[in-house]
Amino acid sequence: MTSWFTGFLPYGWAWFVATIIDILLIALPLMLAVAMIIYADRKIWAAMALRRGPNVVGPLGLMQSFADGLKVFLQETIIPSAANKGLFLIAPIITFTVALIVWAVVPFQTGVVLANINVGLLYVLAASSLGVYGIIIAGWASNSKYPFYSALRAAAQMVSYEVSIGFVLISVVLWAGSFNLSMIVDAQRGYYGLLNGNCFNPLLFPMAVVFFISSLAETQRAPFDLTEAESELVAGYQTEYSSMSFALYWLGEYANVILMCALNAILFWGGYLPPVNWAPLYAVPGIIWLFVKILAFFFLFSWVKATVPRYRYDQLMRLGWKVFLPLSLFWVFLVSGFLMWIRVGVGS
């Protein structure tokens, strides 16, 4: 796209305009996807509870998310008198913005990525880790005990599972030999000469399960939604928020959920590659395969929320520190030892 604009603009301006267009081509469909994924979430929960779900606003209730968005947009933004106004307002903006910037390195198909950087996976870890600041600032700036308790819980929960996620990603990087997300996807091409993806890789499949469960905890989805548990903390760090500031948290949360579904697909299930290394399947655009895999993982996210009871907080922390952390650390040694054996050789 930059080369096309250089026909009538200086290179600097051509790059700038092309980058802005690329950002909008990612951000605008993502916002539409968030609206529709909220609708899908509610329909899946309803189906599993033998209810109908949204079915009035628009055909089949498809406009329900937009009606909810209009409702919160027209509401008054209430700021508690004792709150720190500046931080109170900037906290949801931080959470929402961080949820969007990670998509810059997500490859949608071969060569279709906004920033194809060599340290893409490190960028994902660094940018997604910033989301905890929006939650901590919200809990502190509200000047209320329940949001503050929830913010501390959220910080501890996110840090705990990010440690395990980090070691899981080390195993993936060792196997692929790169931090670049496109190269990680290509490293899964033709596995066992047939499958695209590490789905039946006995070394990486356990880490795929750990990463999926850690994704639930990282995005504060059930059964790890203790930071928003109305039975314990009213509504968590969002208790004092209303109107669009409240909506920004929900938009950021669902954008993070879609991101985690995409990362599950990219790191372990072939990303934009078709499931089988068969030539006719490559006629389907890679973005379609990635979209299908994201939807499959989102269905699993909703399935878990509709069926699994909420953990106690001590159970949540024990799973992260006493189960996933030792397991993922052990797997780093296992994968590195196996790769040394097959690539370097025992006698070398």
Side-chain angles (χ1 to χ4, degrees):
M1 187 178 292
T2 302
S3 59
W4 185 81
F5 280 110
T6 53
F8 47 90
L9 286 175
Y11 178 80
W13 281 103
W15 174 86
F16 178 77
V17 172
T19 303
I20 293 297
I21 293 175
D22 288 340
I23 291 172
L24 292 176
L25 287 175
I26 295 174
L28 296 181
L30 179 61
M31 290 298 95
L32 179 62
V34 167
M36 300 315 299
I37 217 76
I38 294 173
Y39 166 80
D41 215 6
R42 296 170 68 180
K43 292 293 282 189
I44 293 171
W45 300 342
M48 292 188 177
L50 300 180
R51 295 182 288 107
R52 299 189 66 180
N55 63 341
V56 174
V57 184
L60 302 176
L62 287 170
M63 302 301 292
Q64 184 65 56
S65 294
F66 301 98
D68 292 340
L70 179 63
K71 179 181 69 175
V72 296
F73 181 76
L74 296 176
Q75 288 176 344
E76 178 185 2
T77 300
I78 300 172
I79 302 176
S81 58
N84 185 311
K85 184 176 180 180
L87 293 177
F88 185 85
L89 292 176
I90 202 173
I93 298 174
I94 293 174
T95 301
F96 177 70
T97 304
V98 168
L100 295 182
I101 63 175
V102 182
W103 285 89
V105 296
V106 172
F108 296 96
Q109 61 184 42
T110 303
V112 181
V113 55
L114 180 62
N116 192 27
I117 57 178
N118 290 330
V119 290
L121 202 54
L122 291 179
Y123 172 84
V124 170
L125 274 176
S128 60
S129 299
L130 296 176
V132 70
Y133 288 105
I135 295 174
I136 292 176
I137 292 173
W140 184 84
S142 298
N143 199 21
S144 176
K145 61 180 180 180
Y146 288 117
F148 185 64
Y149 291 157
S150 175
L152 294 179
R153 280 189 172 189
Q157 176 175 328
M158 295 176 75
V159 169
S160 299
Y161 283 87
E162 279 175 2
V163 174
S164 301
I165 286 176
F167 284 116
V168 170
L169 297 183
I170 290 175
S171 298
V172 174
V173 170
L174 287 171
W175 187 266
S178 174
F179 284 95
N180 183 283
L181 292 178
S182 297
M183 295 185 68
I184 289 175
V185 172
D186 288 335
Q188 303 171 49
R189 191 186 299 271
Y191 189 71
Y192 287 134
L194 176 65
L195 301 172
N196 281 328
N198 293 323
C199 47
F200 292 102
N201 186 335
L203 270 179
L204 293 184
F205 180 75
M207 292 298 96
V209 175
V210 170
F211 187 82
F212 174 74
I213 299 174
S214 298
S215 300
L216 295 172
E218 185 71 11
T219 53
Q220 299 162 30
R221 294 277 294 188
F224 307 109
D225 57 343
L226 287 160
T227 56
E228 303 168 12
E230 68 284 348
S231 60
E232 298 184 359
L233 295 166
V234 188
Y237 57 88
Q238 304 171 355
T239 301
E240 304 293 344
Y241 281 89
S242 60
S243 187
M244 281 305 295
S245 55
F246 176 80
L248 285 176
Y249 273 115
W250 279 97
L251 291 174
E253 179 178 326
Y254 274 91
N256 275 326
V257 168
I258 300 175
L259 174 66
M260 282 300 176
C261 293
L263 289 178
N264 272 281
I266 289 169
L267 297 175
F268 297 100
W269 299 87
Y272 50 77
L273 298 176
V276 179
N277 192 27
W278 185 41
L281 294 180
Y282 287 93
V284 179
I287 192 171
I288 301 297
W289 289 118
L290 180 62
F291 183 67
V292 169
K293 293 174 185 179
I294 289 174
L295 289 181
F297 275 104
F298 183 77
F299 178 78
L300 293 179
F301 269 62
S302 295
W303 189 356
V304 170
K305 185 177 179 69
T307 55
V308 180
R310 181 177 291 141
Y311 272 32
R312 295 195 316 268
Y313 197 73
D314 62 300
Q315 293 176 321
L316 180 148
M317 298 302 285
R318 182 171 66 246
L319 180 65
W321 288 107
K322 294 187 176 181
V323 179
F324 284 175
L325 178 58
L327 181 62
S328 58
L329 184 58
F330 168 74
W331 230 261
V332 170
F333 288 102
L334 188 66
V335 172
S336 58
F338 178 76
L339 293 177
M340 287 290 290
W341 180 54
I342 65 171
R343 293 179 182 177
V344 179
V346 180
S348 300

